[in-house]
Amino acid sequence: MTIRLGYQIPNYSYPDTPDDELFDVVIAQAKEAEASGFDTVLVMDHFYQLPGLGSPDRPMLECYTALGALAGATSTVRLSALVTGNTYRNPPMLAKTVTTLDVVSKGRAILGIGAGWFEREHDDFGYEFGTFTDRFEKLEESLTIVAPMLRGEAPSFSGKWYTVTNAMNNPRVRPTIPIMLGGSGEKKTFRLAALFADHLNVICAREDIPRKVAALRQRCEEAGRDPATLPTSFLTSVVVAETSAELEALLEGVSPRARARMICGTPDEVATVLQKEVLDPGITGLTINMPLIGHRPGAVALAGRTLRPLVN
């Protein structure tokens, strides 16, 4: 399993769209992504909108309910969270949830998973946040349970955080479900990716990519794994427009700081940046989101036409 071109839906705030029509816009984006060459559609596993994208009270759909509905609206794209917060679910329940998504989608699920980081969500919803070390200990124990369950095994495990006994996981529609870790931690996240993952989504500043690629290679070597067997992708926000004038209209009112967090330009400009700063340093796939314009018909298709040649 590898993600060559993923489309993430990071927000559900669409102008002039009432709540009862909101998911129609989500479906339209997923279908447009599927038709324009994206191989994976991903959603966030959060309860509140993230800082930088909107206020906490903005619309946010529960991840796996949304993915299950998208399974019925699409036919070829793989479906994943980017990424599941491990702290929000008991590990065998998570294995059961993603396996059910795999059954519903006829073998298109990916388990995207990370340690969890959004403290306010934990506090407001009553989940224990704990320390940084706690969350990574939990993630490693969770992967020790979930990975064999996704292979159809019935693990027993007693750890510091989790205990299971002969945890079965049926029905299943394929021998295993791929695991994707997401994050930027060179010591903890990358080590766990080398041990457990089929894919790693790297989240970092573009100038840090060469260092991240080198660190991942080192973690793989320490784990006795060939780095070539662990494909990667890079998450970034994109605004692409056919002309510079159209681009400026789309970015009107967007602060310089917000613009700096995105890759903005015409198709050639966006493609050049992603090739030079992401793919050439060693990342093997791209995952984009388009929080400003993804809901507009045709925006995802233009991104697909722009990016597909880079990863094919």
Side-chain angles (χ1 to χ4, degrees):
M1 189 285 299
T2 186
I3 296 172
R4 298 291 286 167
L5 189 59
Y7 178 67
Q8 185 209 33
I9 301 173
N11 69 316
Y12 304 101
S13 299
Y14 309 128
D16 304 317
T17 303
D19 286 354
D20 62 351
E21 297 176 13
L22 182 157
F23 200 69
D24 296 335
V25 182
V26 177
I27 289 174
Q29 291 177 75
K31 286 185 171 182
E32 194 169 309
E34 183 172 71
S36 56
F38 289 87
D39 55 54
T40 309
V41 170
L42 311 99
V43 301
M44 295 200 301
D45 185 28
H46 286 288
F47 312 131
Y48 295 163
Q49 184 52 277
L50 304 187
L53 287 175
S55 59
D57 61 341
R58 303 309 298 155
M60 182 55 61
L61 297 176
E62 193 281 319
C63 167
Y64 282 100
T65 308
L67 288 171
L70 287 177
T74 58
S75 58
T76 62
V77 288
R78 289 173 299 223
L79 300 165
S80 180
L82 187 58
V83 286
T84 307
N86 177 65
T87 45
Y88 298 140
R89 295 169 188 84
N90 155 280
M93 186 68 237
L94 175 59
K96 174 62 75 174
T97 299
V98 74
T99 302
T100 298
L101 175 63
D102 204 50
V103 172
V104 169
S105 65
K106 300 187 185 302
R108 293 186 284 136
I110 298 168
L111 171 59
I113 190 168
W117 63 270
F118 197 173
E119 186 171 6
R120 178 172 176 177
E121 288 181 332
H122 291 76
D123 293 344
D124 287 7
F125 276 62
Y127 292 103
E128 181 181 2
F129 188 62
T131 66
F132 180 82
T133 298
D134 292 342
R135 294 195 301 281
F136 274 92
E137 287 179 353
K138 289 179 179 179
L139 178 58
E140 183 162 3
E141 288 194 10
S142 180
L143 288 165
T144 301
I145 295 166
V146 171
M149 290 184 69
L150 297 183
R151 297 191 296 265
E153 301 170 19
S156 294
F157 176 83
S158 181
K160 178 179 178 180
W161 300 101
Y162 304 118
T163 299
V164 297
T165 303
N166 298 323
M168 294 183 288
N169 186 28
N170 295 304
R172 293 163 49 254
V173 295
R174 52 181 171 158
T176 192
I177 295 171
I179 295 173
M180 171 180 66
L181 261 69
S184 61
E186 298 174 15
K187 294 182 179 180
K188 294 181 181 292
T189 299
F190 288 11
R191 181 183 74 84
L192 293 178
L195 292 173
F196 292 99
D198 302 285
H199 188 94
L200 174 66
N201 183 263
V202 179
I203 302 172
C204 67
R206 297 195 300 277
E207 58 266 26
D208 293 336
I209 288 176
R211 191 182 78 243
K212 300 296 182 183
V213 169
L216 179 60
R217 288 173 179 159
Q218 185 175 352
R219 299 292 90 76
C220 285
E221 290 167 1
E222 291 166 357
R225 179 173 183 174
D226 180 355
T229 68
L230 182 54
T232 53
S233 54
F234 178 74
L235 175 65
T236 188
S237 295
V238 166
V239 179
V240 59
E242 294 282 12
T243 67
S244 297
E246 182 184 348
L247 179 70
E248 284 307 311
L250 291 173
L251 293 173
E252 184 177 359
V254 178
S255 70
R257 182 177 180 181
R259 291 190 187 200
R261 292 197 298 264
M262 302 182 287
I263 298 176
C264 308
T266 62
D268 285 346
E269 291 168 342
V270 168
T272 297
V273 170
L274 287 170
Q275 181 67 57
K276 181 179 179 180
E277 299 184 17
V278 177
L279 298 174
D280 287 350
I283 298 291
T284 58
L286 302 169
T287 295
I288 68 160
N289 59 39
M290 306 176 75
L292 284 182
I293 61 171
H295 62 281
R296 299 186 179 200
V300 177
L302 176 59
R305 293 195 301 272
T306 299
L307 303 180
R308 194 169 59 245
L310 302 182
V311 295
N312 284 345

